[in-house]
Each structure stands twice: as C-alpha cells, then as structure tokens.
C-alpha cells in the first residue's frame, strides 16, 4: 500500500520533506505515466507520496518591477490566462500536451521531471529563469542552467521542493519559439528552440539561444552568444556559419523512438539559421 499524504500548507510539506524521502506530486501527469504498471492496478510508487496540488499558497502569478513570480502549483492552463507571462513561455505551453493535461500539469513538474525534451525548459533557459528551492532550513535561488545537473537529474535535495519560478522581465526586440514534433498536439519534442535578441543603436546588445532534446540538458552557450554582442546585423549574418558550427559542436543528439541523430542535427542547424535570419 502506497502511503499518501495530502499536505495542507507549504510549511507542512517542508516539514515532511525534512523527515524522510517523499515523491512530490503536483499534477501527476509525468508520475502516473512513469510509474503505472497494468491497467487499474494501484500505482506502485517507490516512496511515500506528498500530494501538493492543493496548495493554494503556491498557486499564483505575481508581477514585480523587475521579475515575474510563478507559484509552483500554478497549472499550465492558468499560466496562459496571465498577460504578464512572457510570450516565449506561453508559445511553449500552448504546444504542450493537450488542454486536459495542461489543466493539471505544472511548470514545476516539467522542471522536476528534468527531461531534456521538457518543452517549458528552453523558454525558461532563454528567459534566464531562477528556480526557488526551499527546505525547512533554507531557501536558495538556482539559475536554471545550474538547476539541471545531468540527464533527468536536478540540483534539488530530498528535503527541498520547488516553490517558485522567477523570471526576469526582459524587453526583447524579438523572440522565436519552435517545437519540432511528430504532430502539433500531444507529441513530445524531437527538437525545441527558444531564441531572443535585442538591438540598440544598430548593434546587437542581447542574443540568446536555447536548444532542447539534443543533449542531456538544454544547450545554452553564453560564450557563443557573447561573440555576437556589439555586432551589426550585417556582421552577424556573415558569422552565421561559424555560429551554427559552434552550436553543432555542443550538441549530442541521440537516436530514440522519436527521432534520430541526423534529423535532430539538421533541424538544429535549420532553426539557428532561421532565427539568425529574423535579425532585423
Ligand atoms: C499525454 C501526455 C502528453 C504530454 N505532453 C508533453 C509535452 O508536449 N511537452 C512536455 O514537456 N511534457 C509533456 N508531458 C509531460 C508532463 O505533462 C509535463 O512534464 C508536466 O509539466 C508535468 O507536470 P506535473 O505537475 O504533472 O508533474 P508531476 O507528474 O506531478 O511531477 C513530475 C516530476 O516533478 C517532480 N515535482 C513536481 N512538482 C515539484 C516541486 N514543486 N518541487 C520539486 N519536484 C517537483 C515530481 O516529484 C516528479 O518527479 C505529457 C504528459 C502526458 C501524460
């Protein structure tokens, strides 16, 4: 019999997590699929389950002067209703799963699952999101690129949970999100892409690219981005092949049931090229 605890407050959740290892249950859309056995049999979770989806304290979107704060139990559907949620993130959410799944699934769950194909990850990398991880003793803010430490591995300890996702307010000139999957709805990504840039006085002052499903974690290369800062659009266009080669050297796509190395490599190339063509 699986022990399940429905927590009534964040304080209780953190206190429970300080006592022993639990599986944090938000929408359950990954957990149920990953742990199911035969139809109608009780799900054989390996550890007791901490049911957190009811935590109203963690259901919010708040706007500050410089940051947007998203409570960990806010569902994907709820996020789509807020004007303040960045377009890049909304575009990714709109293409995740189906409306029924989005009504219960959370952003924190997509992060906690830590799949390199998690669709909210690429916009969150490009937006420089910070993940607030809390335990009964402390709270720490982890930049998203440090939150993922390997394939399906995060920096979270057993006594911590994600309580908030914090997104700096960015004013980009333009952004581009693309999900390449088998079909539009209910398909996981073969490759996903989120790019953003800004230009001041005809020179690039901000340039960001994140690519998903082509390595064990999302690929974001600050060193490559830096090469384009201060360049005019003309100069950047001349560097396009060099930039694409640098990104290709940092991806390690795999063959799996959704796609193969050649396809993922070609799509990555096409997406970087298409994004650089949008520079204007
Ligand atoms: C039919 C179907 C289609 C799908 N399509 C897509 C898709 O297109 N794109 C995509 O990216 N995903 C897709 N998914 C996967 C899933 O819906 C998402 O990853 C979703 O965001 C998970 O959120 P959840 O709240 O349901 O997470 P849960 O299943 O509750 O949890 C997932 C993991 O995160 C951990 N976790 C949850 N909340 C926290 C927290 N606050 N702190 C720490 N750890 C936490 C859990 O312990 C677990 O390990 C699909 C799933 C299904 C069933």
């Amino acid at each position: 019999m699986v022990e399940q605890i429905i927590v009534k407050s964040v304080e209780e959740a953190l206190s429970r997590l300080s006592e022993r290892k639990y599986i944090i249950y938000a929408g359950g859309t990954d957990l149920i699929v990953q742990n199911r056995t035969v139809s109608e049999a009780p799900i054989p979770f390996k550890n007791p389950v901490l049911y957190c989806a009811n935590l109203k304290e963690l259901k919010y979107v708040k706007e500050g002067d410089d940051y947007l704060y998203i409570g960990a139990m806010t569902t994907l559907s709820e996020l789509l209703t807020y004007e303040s949620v960045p377009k890049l993130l909304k575009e990714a959410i709109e293409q995740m799963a189906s409306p029924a799944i989005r009504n219960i699934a959370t952003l924190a769950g997509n992060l906690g699952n830590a799949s390199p194909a998690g669709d909210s990850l690429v916009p969150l990398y490009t937006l420089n999101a910070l993940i607030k991880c809390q335990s009964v003793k402390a709270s720490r803010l982890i930049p998203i690129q440090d939150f993922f430490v390997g394939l399906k591995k995060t920096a979270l300890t057993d006594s911590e949970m994600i309580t908030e996702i914090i997104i700096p307010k960015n004013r980009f000139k333009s952004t581009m999100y693309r999900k390449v999957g088998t079909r539009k709805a209910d398909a996981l990504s073969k490759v996903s892409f989120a790019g953003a840039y800004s230009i001041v006085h005809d020179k690039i002052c901000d340039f960001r690219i994140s690519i998903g499903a082509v390595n064990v974690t999302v690929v974001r290369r600050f060193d490559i981005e830096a090469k384009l800062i201060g360049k005019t659009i003309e100069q950047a266009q001349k560097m396009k092949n060099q930039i694409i080669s640098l990104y290709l050297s940092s991806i390690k796509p795999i063959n799996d049931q959704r796609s193969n190395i050649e396809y993922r490599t070609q799509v990555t190339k096409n997406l970087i090229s298409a994004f650089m063509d949008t520079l204007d």
Side-chain angles (χ1 to χ4, degrees):
M1 188 70 180
V2 180
E3 189 190 343
Q4 290 185 60
I5 291 166
I6 302 175
V7 287
K8 295 193 178 57
S9 65
V10 175
E11 195 186 353
E12 183 192 349
L14 298 179
S15 164
R16 298 268 186 191
L17 287 168
S18 71
E19 288 159 8
R20 59 168 301 174
K21 188 172 164 62
Y22 283 97
I23 294 172
I24 298 170
Y25 191 110
T29 60
D30 275 315
L31 284 172
I32 294 290
V33 172
Q34 286 160 5
N35 292 281
R36 74 183 159 184
T37 48
V38 288
S39 154
E40 292 179 29
I43 307 278
F45 288 111
K46 288 187 190 77
N47 287 295
V49 171
L50 209 58
Y51 186 80
C52 296
N54 289 345
L55 291 177
K56 288 210 174 73
E57 294 170 70
L58 295 183
K59 275 182 174 287
Y60 59 83
V61 174
K62 291 181 199 155
E63 206 178 342
D65 289 342
D66 301 320
Y67 295 93
L68 188 72
Y69 303 88
I70 298 174
M73 293 302 144
T74 315
T75 66
L76 298 178
S77 296
E78 284 163 346
L79 287 175
L80 291 176
T81 67
Y82 286 89
E83 216 171 287
S84 53
V85 171
K87 173 174 160 272
L88 203 55
L89 181 57
K90 277 187 177 162
E91 284 175 315
I93 294 173
E94 278 162 354
Q95 295 181 50
M96 278 171 79
S98 58
I101 297 281
R102 294 198 295 264
N103 285 344
I104 50 170
T106 61
L107 208 53
N110 204 227
L111 293 165
N113 190 47
S115 161
D119 284 322
S120 73
L121 274 50
V122 281
L124 290 175
Y125 266 75
T126 292
L127 294 165
N128 288 344
L130 300 162
I131 316 302
K132 187 171 180 182
C133 303
Q134 229 172 312
S135 71
V136 83
K137 287 197 189 124
S139 155
R140 52 187 183 135
L141 281 185
I142 309 181
I144 188 159
Q145 69 276 6
D146 299 330
F147 180 76
F148 297 101
V149 295
L151 182 64
K152 304 217 91 196
K153 286 202 178 78
T154 72
L156 271 177
T157 62
D158 288 347
S159 58
E160 284 178 314
M161 71 183 285
I162 302 169
T163 51
E164 196 172 60
I165 295 116
I166 303 177
I167 303 177
K169 283 189 176 174
N170 299 283
R171 280 218 181 85
F172 298 114
K173 175 155 194 225
S174 185
T175 60
M176 176 177 126
Y177 174 76
R178 293 283 184 279
K179 168 175 178 168
V180 179
T182 306
R183 52 183 189 273
K184 236 179 168 200
D186 258 347
L188 293 179
S189 290
K190 295 176 183 197
V191 180
S192 56
F193 181 98
Y197 72 87
S198 292
I199 293 185
V200 170
H201 303 310
D202 297 327
K203 290 191 173 150
I204 297 169
C205 62
D206 198 350
F207 183 93
R208 308 181 192 180
I209 281 180
S210 305
I211 313 163
V214 291
N215 210 327
V216 292
T217 58
V218 168
V219 172
R220 171 109 195 251
R221 288 278 306 271
F222 295 98
D223 57 330
I224 304 177
E225 294 174 7
K227 289 185 188 295
L228 289 162
I229 305 301
K231 299 286 188 288
T232 62
I233 294 168
E234 204 183 353
Q235 287 168 329
Q237 294 300 0
K238 284 190 183 139
M239 292 167 71
K240 192 158 108 175
N241 288 339
Q242 180 203 346
I243 297 293
I244 291 173
S245 304
L246 287 169
Y247 277 106
L248 291 186
S249 70
S250 58
I251 66 168
K252 285 197 184 81
I254 55 163
N255 295 318
D256 63 11
Q257 72 278 20
R258 288 200 295 282
S259 190
N260 60 41
I261 294 171
E262 292 73 24
Y263 183 80
R264 286 185 158 121
T265 304
Q266 187 59 48
V267 168
T268 301
K269 211 168 148 179
N270 294 351
L271 289 172
I272 300 167
S273 174
F275 175 59
M276 290 194 70
D277 287 345
T278 68
L279 292 173
D280 173 30

